[in-house]
């Protein structure tokens, strides 16, 4: 993109949309609205690192809703059409439906989704739906109550998540994506139970390989259960049939149960990296642009925003940063870890 040419609203994938150094377009934006969470999952925010007295972002440091809307509009000018609200736990952000309503009014936005642990959905699902939220993803690593307590850092009950999913269904959310991070020796023996429970519900269970996100989750490669292994296990119980991606760059490899029981997905960032089609940018709660889940540093957009930058200037800043993007960590994982380059932004700061 020529940085001197005014940026108008461009169609996603058009020649006018910015591309990074590897020719990847900018299509999706994940917005972290808060860095706090009511769980302490060991793969994201372990209790020993983030205890009760941990100092998260102050209210002043977080982007205000109006600021999030302005930045979202700048991203839309560059071709973004899909937004996902994340955290931390996004439902801890007060009045979140108001933000959804503001984002839903932006011309060009085609899809607004949210990732949540689900326990606060009974109080907010209907308001979110009415405000214009299209889709939900709920994190659910197991149905076993004891294992769930362990994986939530002793702060959650699986029954509360199931109640949240039920509330979302009543509010009109269909095809909810249920994300399960699979760890060998922790919850991998329970994946069939998840599929059994949600068979015929219309929801999509997705299994995510345990990733080395952040710096404090004590990741070990031997705890990763490759998706190919899970596909074999599940296929032995219920024959599977592969499905075509819904769109280029879709992170999950899609399958359906041949007996009609539903769809399941596999996100294989470790064993089958998909960096080549990655079109996602991430905006942290304090206004930093991250061009990869495994990035070390973010590009500050809050400072120019609060200093009075206009919409055109913000779009140009984003486009320039995207044009410099070379990230492909998952494809280079072994090489980078061998060199000791393991410092990443924590996942709760930018969403999964």
């Amino acid at each position: 993109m020529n940085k001197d040419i005014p940026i108008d609203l461009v169609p996603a994938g058009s020649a006018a949309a910015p591309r990074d150094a590897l020719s990847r377009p900018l299509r999706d934006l994940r917005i972290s609205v808060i860095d706090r969470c009511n769980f302490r999952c060991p793969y994201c925010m372990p209790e020993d690192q983030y205890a009760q007295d941990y100092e998260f972002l102050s209210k002043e440091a977080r982007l205000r809703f109006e600021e999030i809307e302005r930045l979202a509009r700048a991203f839309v000018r560059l071709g973004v059409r899909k937004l996902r609200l994340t955290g931390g736990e996004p439902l801890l952000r007060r009045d979140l439906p108001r933000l959804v309503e503001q984002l839903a009014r932006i011309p060009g936005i085609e899809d607004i989704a949210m990732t949540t642990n689900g326990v606060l959905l009974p109080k907010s699902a209907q308001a979110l739906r009415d405000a214009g939220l299209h889709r939900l993803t709920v994190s659910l690593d197991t149905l076993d109550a004891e294992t769930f307590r362990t994986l939530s850092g002793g702060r959650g009950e699986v029954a509360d998540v199931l109640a949240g999913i039920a509330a979302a269904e009543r509010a009109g959310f269909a095809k909810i994506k249920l994300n399960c991070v699979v760890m060998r020796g922790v919850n991998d023996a329970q994946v069939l139970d998840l599929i059994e429970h949600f068979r015929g519900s219309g929801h999509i269970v997705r299994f995510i390989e345990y990733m080395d996100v952040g710096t404090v989750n004590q990741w070990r490669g031997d705890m990763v259960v490759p998706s190919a292994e899970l596909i074999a296990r599940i296929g032995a119980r219920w024959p599977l049939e592969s499905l075509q991606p819904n769109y280029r760059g879709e992170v999950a490899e899609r399958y359906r149960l041949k007996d009609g029981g539903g769809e399941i997905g596999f996100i294989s960032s470790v064993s089958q990296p998909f960096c080549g089609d990655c079109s996602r940018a991430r905006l942290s709660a304090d206004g930093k642009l991250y061009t990869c889940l495994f990035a070390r540093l973010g590009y500050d957009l809050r400072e120019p925003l609060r200093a009075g930058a206009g919409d055109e200037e913000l779009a140009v800043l984003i486009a320039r940063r995207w044009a410099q993007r070379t990230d492909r960590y998952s494809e280079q994982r072994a090489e980078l870890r061998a060199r000791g380059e393991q410092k990443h932004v924590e996942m709760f700061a930018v969403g999964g």
Side-chain angles (χ1 to χ4, degrees):
M1 171 179 290
N2 186 326
K3 64 186 181 184
D4 298 319
I5 296 175
I7 300 172
D8 297 318
L9 184 67
V10 298
S14 76
R19 289 182 175 264
D20 69 10
L22 301 178
S23 198
R24 294 169 295 188
L26 174 56
R27 296 197 185 104
D28 310 276
L29 177 63
R30 301 191 172 192
I31 302 170
S32 176
V33 297
I34 194 167
D35 60 333
R36 300 170 186 265
C37 190
N38 46 356
F39 284 6
R40 288 296 181 270
C41 301
Y43 54 78
C44 177
M45 192 187 288
E47 180 73 45
D48 62 343
Q49 299 287 330
Y50 301 97
Q52 295 283 2
D53 59 350
Y54 183 82
E55 292 189 14
F56 292 96
L57 292 172
S58 66
K59 181 179 179 180
E60 178 59 28
R62 293 197 304 262
L63 291 176
R64 298 184 290 274
F65 285 171
E66 291 71 23
E67 293 174 324
I68 292 174
E69 180 187 356
R70 277 203 62 205
L71 288 173
R73 287 179 180 274
F75 277 95
V76 168
R77 288 161 69 93
L78 300 173
V80 163
R81 295 295 177 265
K82 298 172 64 175
L83 304 177
R84 176 172 293 277
L85 302 180
T86 70
E89 171 46 53
L91 291 179
L92 290 177
R93 185 73 186 258
R94 185 175 297 179
D95 297 328
L96 190 63
R98 181 165 66 85
L99 174 62
V100 173
E101 187 174 16
Q102 290 175 224
L103 297 175
R105 292 197 298 260
I106 298 175
I109 290 296
E110 298 171 356
D111 183 65
I112 305 176
M114 183 178 72
T115 298
T116 173
N117 62 35
V119 300
L120 298 176
L121 281 173
K123 296 181 179 180
S124 59
Q126 190 63 60
L128 289 165
R129 185 70 174 173
D130 294 344
L133 189 71
H134 299 124
R135 297 185 298 114
L136 275 174
T137 296
V138 176
S139 299
L140 181 57
D141 295 326
T142 180
L143 291 174
D144 180 78
E146 183 176 350
T147 306
F148 188 90
R149 291 187 196 105
T150 298
L151 288 175
S152 66
R155 299 195 182 193
E157 297 291 337
V158 68
D160 293 334
V161 179
L162 295 176
I165 293 170
E169 292 171 336
R170 291 192 297 273
F173 288 101
K175 286 193 174 182
I176 298 170
K177 291 178 179 176
L178 306 163
N179 280 357
C180 171
V181 175
V182 183
M183 292 170 281
R184 192 178 300 281
V186 178
N187 64 338
D188 63 307
Q190 299 162 5
V191 298
L192 297 182
D193 296 334
L194 269 172
I195 297 174
E196 182 67 61
H197 182 87
F198 290 103
R199 275 169 52 80
S201 68
H203 303 322
I204 303 169
V205 181
R206 306 197 306 174
F207 299 106
I208 303 172
E209 292 180 345
Y210 178 40
M211 294 181 289
D212 50 335
V213 293
T215 60
V216 296
N217 72 352
Q218 306 302 315
W219 182 84
R220 301 198 325 261
D222 61 355
M223 291 184 67
V224 177
V225 182
S227 293
E229 180 180 330
L230 284 182
I231 291 170
R233 282 196 216 174
I234 296 166
R237 173 76 175 273
W238 298 288
L240 299 173
E241 180 178 55
S242 64
L243 298 173
Q244 292 296 315
N246 286 310
Y247 54 89
R248 182 177 178 181
E250 186 173 22
V251 298
E253 187 179 4
R254 301 172 59 226
Y255 285 79
R256 74 172 187 88
L257 305 179
K258 284 188 175 181
D259 64 5
E263 180 181 331
I264 56 177
F266 301 89
I267 300 175
S268 316
S269 174
V270 179
S271 67
Q272 301 174 58
F274 39 79
C275 302
D277 283 331
C278 181
S279 59
R280 291 171 294 283
R282 291 172 165 83
L283 182 66
S284 66
D286 59 349
K288 291 186 175 64
L289 167 61
Y290 290 87
T291 54
C292 179
L293 178 60
F294 301 96
R296 288 190 60 189
L297 301 173
Y299 180 76
D300 190 5
L301 295 174
R302 186 188 66 189
E303 181 178 354
L305 176 66
R306 292 185 176 177
D311 293 348
E312 178 76 14
E313 184 178 353
L314 291 172
V316 168
L317 290 173
I318 294 165
R320 288 177 182 170
R321 181 64 190 91
W322 188 262
Q324 298 168 4
R325 179 188 189 229
T326 60
D327 305 285
R328 54 187 189 96
Y329 175 83
S330 290
E331 293 179 348
Q332 299 174 310
R333 177 178 279 106
E335 173 189 346
L336 294 174
R337 289 183 66 85
R339 296 207 307 251
E341 297 183 25
Q342 301 172 32
K343 294 288 187 179
H344 312 143
V345 62
E346 300 302 331
M347 185 167 68
F348 68 82
V350 294

